[in-house]
């Protein structure tokens, strides 16, 4: 038995998944504390219901894949359009050093995943799915690469596997960062807990830092509104980003530089953003791009989770937990020893280690939550709150995409 849903019905169901996730997040504390995205919480419940329906009746559901791909490309375009390389100057040498730390970590994370997958008799590409595709990349990257590995490399169930790993990473990243940083601070006597008066002052600083994380706009006192003109302007930028991968995919098909379509969308956004910034002095509206990108990501994830075939993961549960347990240990050791030491062995370095655990296993919001938990107790870290959002918001996705493409080409 098989039922297929067209584009309109797929979109309706995706919105219902988002509403379910929003309701669950509002009433379940665990989902709020660990920053589980609303489409993931709602989508996993629906995916579980579809799984039970399949097991009982044999019914299989399919959804419009073209709609999912379109929203995926919009999301990755938004990452590219947010990549203003002039921000590198704000981070200084500390940002460049931290980027170097992250590059080495991505390679190590993938090496651990591929090595363990091979030892366990699995396809090495499963190791990449339990590596930086999902842990550094998050749910959006998991779905994108999952589709590539399924369609181009025949790895069945890759998307379902990726969503499971990314969800695990979000939870572990939130659990790991705070205790690790606290241990580093206590062991090396880097700071003392704040008094009540100092705590109140730190709270006001954290609010200011939080606004910087949420919005990379200029420090204008009057916020720019998302008007009709701004929306049309932003849509035009996205149209350029979406045209770029279509052109480049056709031009590079069968060549050595053939890349997944979403990588071209991300790269197109980077090119368009920085050409407009530096060649024409055009001010790109970052907040509007964030709104469009976040909405696209939510709908994309909802459709991806609707399309999960959880029965394809049954044989991978045991080996997958072995790989993810090893990745957790590697993350803790790397952040506690290398990240902390290379970034200066001081209080800022300890907060950066907490942030690294957040987006090294989960996502940028998890990293920020980890850092806020530490700074609320021990005081502000301006350096960490500047570097981590800049790296986690877009630089990490660009670096990760090209490292993954190289490793997949090497494995195949």
């Amino acid at each position: 038995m098989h039922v297929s849903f067209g584009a309109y019905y797929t979109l309706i169901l995706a919105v219902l998944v988002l509403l379910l996730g929003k309701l669950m997040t509002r009433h379940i504390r665990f989902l709020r504390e660990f920053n589980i995205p609303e489409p993931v919480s709602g989508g996993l419940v629906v995916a579980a219901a579809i799984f039970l329906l399949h097991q009982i009746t044999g019914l299989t559901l399919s959804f419009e894949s073209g709609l999912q791909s379109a929203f995926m490309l919009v999301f990755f375009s938004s990452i590219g359009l947010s990549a203003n390389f002039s921000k590198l100057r704000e981070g200084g040498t500390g940002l460049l050093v931290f980027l170097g730390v992250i590059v080495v970590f991505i390679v190590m994370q993938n090496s651990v995943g591929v090595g363990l997958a091979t030892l366990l008799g699995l396809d090495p590409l499963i190791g990449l799915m339990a590596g930086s595709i999902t842990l550094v990349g998050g749910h959006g990257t998991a779905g994108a690469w999952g589709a590539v590995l399924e369609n181009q490399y025949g790895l069945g169930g890759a998307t379902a596997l990726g969503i499971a790993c990314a969800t695990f990473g979000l939870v572990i990243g939130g659990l790991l960062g705070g205790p690790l940083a606290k241990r580093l601070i206590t062991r090396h006597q880097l700071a003392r807990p704040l008094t009540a008066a100092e705590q109140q002052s730190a709270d006001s600083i954290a609010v200011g830092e939080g606004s910087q994380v949420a919005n990379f706009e200029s420090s204008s006192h009057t916020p720019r509104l998302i008007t009709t003109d701004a929306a049309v302007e932003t849509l035009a930028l996205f149209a350029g980003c979406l045209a770029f991968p279509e052109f480049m995919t056709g031009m590079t098909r069968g060549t050595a530089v053939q890349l997944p379509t979403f990588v071209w969308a991300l790269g197109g956004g980077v090119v368009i953003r920085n050409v407009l910034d530096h060649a024409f002095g055009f001010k790109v509206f970052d907040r509007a791009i964030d709104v469009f990108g976040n909405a696209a990501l939510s709908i994309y994830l909802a459709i991806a989770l609707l399309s999960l075939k959880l029965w394809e993961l049954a044989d991978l549960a045991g080996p997958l937990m072995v790989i993810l347990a090893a990745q957790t240990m590697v993350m803790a050791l790397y952040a506690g020893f290398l990240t902390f030491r290379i970034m200066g062995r001081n209080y800022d370095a300890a907060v950066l280690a907490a942030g690294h655990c957040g987006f090294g296993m989960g996502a940028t919001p998890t990293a920020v939550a980890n850092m806020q938990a530490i700074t609320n107790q021990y005081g502000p870290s301006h350096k960490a709150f500047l570097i981590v959002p800049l790296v986690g918001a877009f630089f990490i996705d660009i670096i990760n995409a090209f490292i993954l493409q190289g490793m997949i080409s090497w494995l195949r």
Side-chain angles (χ1 to χ4, degrees):
M1 297 175 62
H2 180 81
V3 177
S4 179
F5 292 89
Y8 297 130
Y9 293 103
T10 298
L11 185 58
I12 291 170
L13 290 171
V15 172
L16 292 176
V17 166
L18 295 178
L19 293 175
L20 174 61
K22 186 174 184 178
L23 182 66
M24 291 174 60
T25 302
R26 184 183 303 165
H27 291 94
I28 301 176
R29 183 178 177 183
F30 170 83
L31 299 177
R32 294 193 303 272
E33 288 187 348
F34 291 103
N35 301 291
I36 305 299
E38 292 172 357
V40 173
S41 54
L44 287 176
V45 171
V46 175
I50 293 174
F51 171 75
L52 290 175
L53 185 64
H54 172 80
Q55 295 298 98
I56 296 171
T57 67
L59 178 66
T60 301
L61 306 180
S62 65
F63 302 88
E64 176 58 48
S65 60
L67 195 63
Q68 179 182 343
S69 300
F71 281 111
M72 176 190 72
L73 292 179
V74 171
F75 165 63
F76 281 98
S77 297
S78 73
I79 294 175
L81 287 170
S82 299
N84 182 357
F85 284 123
S86 64
K87 292 288 182 180
L88 283 168
R89 292 195 297 269
E90 296 183 20
T93 56
L95 175 59
L96 295 176
V97 172
F98 193 63
L99 280 172
V101 170
I102 299 305
V103 169
V104 175
F105 175 73
I106 290 174
V107 174
M108 180 178 293
Q109 193 174 63
N110 287 328
S111 299
V112 170
V114 171
L116 284 175
T118 303
L119 287 175
L120 293 169
L122 304 176
D123 189 321
L125 293 179
I126 292 177
L128 287 184
M129 287 303 294
S132 73
I133 289 179
T134 58
L135 302 180
V136 169
H139 288 87
T141 306
W145 279 108
V148 171
L149 297 182
E150 286 175 351
N151 298 330
Q152 296 185 18
Y153 299 96
L155 185 63
T159 301
L161 176 67
I163 296 297
C165 292
T167 303
F168 173 89
L170 272 178
V171 175
I172 295 300
L175 289 173
L176 190 61
L180 174 68
K182 187 171 183 178
R183 182 175 183 275
L184 290 172
I185 292 168
T186 303
R187 180 179 179 183
H188 298 280
Q189 299 181 343
L190 302 176
R192 59 171 178 77
L194 298 178
T195 63
E198 290 171 333
Q199 180 73 48
Q200 184 176 1
S201 176
D203 288 342
S204 64
I205 293 174
V207 170
E209 288 175 334
S211 64
Q212 293 175 6
V213 171
N215 182 12
F216 291 119
E217 295 291 308
S218 64
S219 57
S220 172
H221 295 292
T222 304
R224 183 179 175 187
L225 300 177
I226 303 178
T227 61
T228 302
D229 289 342
V232 171
E233 173 188 298
T234 304
L235 282 173
L237 294 175
F238 277 109
C241 293
L242 296 177
F244 184 75
E246 183 178 0
F247 173 77
M248 292 304 297
T249 300
M251 288 288 293
T252 60
R253 185 173 288 112
T255 68
V257 293
Q258 182 175 343
L259 296 172
T261 306
F262 75 90
V263 178
W264 286 122
L266 189 154
V270 172
V271 172
I272 291 173
R273 169 61 187 263
N274 288 279
V275 168
L276 290 175
D277 272 349
H278 302 296
F280 298 98
F282 179 82
K283 184 170 177 56
V284 174
F285 193 0
D286 286 316
R287 189 154 47 86
I289 289 169
D290 288 342
V291 169
F292 278 78
N294 289 335
L297 175 61
S298 294
I299 297 173
Y300 158 63
L301 284 177
I303 299 173
L305 285 156
L306 281 170
S307 305
L308 286 185
K309 296 179 176 60
L310 292 178
W311 51 90
E312 295 179 350
L313 289 181
D315 296 335
L316 292 176
L320 186 61
M321 291 309 300
V322 172
I323 297 174
L324 291 175
Q327 295 286 25
T328 302
M329 293 179 61
V330 168
M331 179 76 262
L333 293 172
Y334 191 96
F337 288 96
L338 292 179
T339 304
F340 175 67
R341 293 172 186 271
I342 293 173
M343 296 309 298
R345 296 174 59 94
N346 52 23
Y347 176 67
D348 287 329
V351 180
L352 281 168
H356 187 188
C357 289
F359 71 75
M361 292 293 289
T364 304
T366 306
V368 173
N370 285 350
M371 296 191 301
Q372 285 179 336
I374 296 300
T375 55
N376 286 344
Q377 184 175 0
Y378 292 100
S381 172
H382 303 289
K383 180 178 180 180
F385 272 89
L386 175 64
I387 290 177
V388 168
L390 286 174
V391 173
F394 39 77
F395 291 123
I396 191 67
D397 291 290
I398 297 169
I399 293 168
N400 194 27
F402 287 99
I403 291 176
L404 285 169
Q405 181 63 32
M407 294 197 75
I408 289 174
S409 299
W410 174 66
L411 289 173
R412 283 296 185 259

